[in-house]
Amino acid sequence: MAVGLQIVRESRVIREYQEADLERVLEIWLSASIKAHSFIEAEFWESKVSDMREMYIPASETFVFEFEGEIYGFYSLYEHTLAAIFVTPGAQGKGIGTLLLNDAKSRRESLQLAVYKGNSPSISFYEKHGFISTDEKVDEHTGHPELIMEYTS
């Protein structure tokens, strides 16, 4: 894995997800979910891998960020919802999330997402990219509060 990932335009691409990407996408989702949500037991995320594999990824439009043949991140859209956006922990902070989010924003006039209130780095990331908080709710699966955020171009 390229730790010193300085993004070279010719070597990077955001492309449509392919079935062959599934295991890498699940690996990124699981490791990044555990890192970003330390306030939720890792076992919860581990118990959701099969749902991601069998329901959520197949139901969504998913795009991956690939650099020199390796996938470092992905996002999933479900209608006008940004259902997922994750970058592998070792490559976070290098602009990949911004590239993925900008690509998602280019595909929809408006986007909505839910983010745990305890995940302040992600909230700051979304606010920096034009999302505003519009509502709050409690996640039925974890009991943790979430912000509903929206972006309109």
Side-chain angles (χ1 to χ4, degrees):
M1 210 174 262
V3 178
L5 188 71
Q6 295 303 335
I7 300 168
V8 179
R9 294 196 189 286
E10 297 78 36
S11 303
R12 69 171 170 87
V13 66
I14 294 175
R15 62 168 173 79
E16 286 188 37
Y17 161 87
Q18 300 165 3
E19 276 191 50
D21 303 329
L22 181 60
E23 293 309 313
R24 179 65 179 144
V25 164
L26 292 173
E27 178 184 307
I28 291 168
W29 173 81
L30 181 59
S31 62
S33 292
I34 290 169
K35 179 184 178 194
H37 308 110
S38 59
F39 48 90
I40 297 173
E41 296 293 323
E43 293 79 16
F44 170 78
W45 302 110
E46 292 162 358
S47 77
K48 296 297 179 190
V49 171
S50 63
D51 289 347
M52 287 293 290
R53 174 183 282 113
E54 296 162 15
M55 291 189 310
Y56 297 118
I57 297 294
S60 301
E61 281 179 77
T62 298
F63 298 85
V64 300
F65 174 88
E66 186 176 75
F67 178 76
E68 296 182 347
E70 178 78 28
I71 296 171
Y72 287 90
F74 75 97
Y75 73 88
S76 296
L77 298 172
Y78 182 78
E79 296 174 354
H80 287 278
T81 299
L82 180 61
I85 182 168
F86 291 95
V87 174
T88 193
Q92 290 177 1
K94 300 182 185 307
I96 296 169
T98 296
L99 290 170
L100 288 166
L101 186 58
N102 287 341
D103 192 75
K105 287 163 51 176
S106 76
R107 295 177 189 275
R108 301 289 192 273
E109 288 186 19
S110 65
L111 286 172
Q112 185 179 71
L113 60 85
V115 59
Y116 288 108
K117 283 183 76 173
N119 187 353
S120 51
S122 290
I123 293 168
S124 296
F125 172 77
Y126 295 128
E127 288 174 340
K128 176 180 153 186
H129 292 284
F131 283 78
I132 58 167
S133 297
T134 59
D135 202 1
E136 279 189 43
K137 68 175 189 154
V138 173
D139 178 48
E140 64 183 84
H141 303 289
T142 65
H144 286 269
E146 292 181 306
L147 292 178
I148 305 304
M149 301 184 82
E150 291 186 7
Y151 169 83
T152 304
S153 58

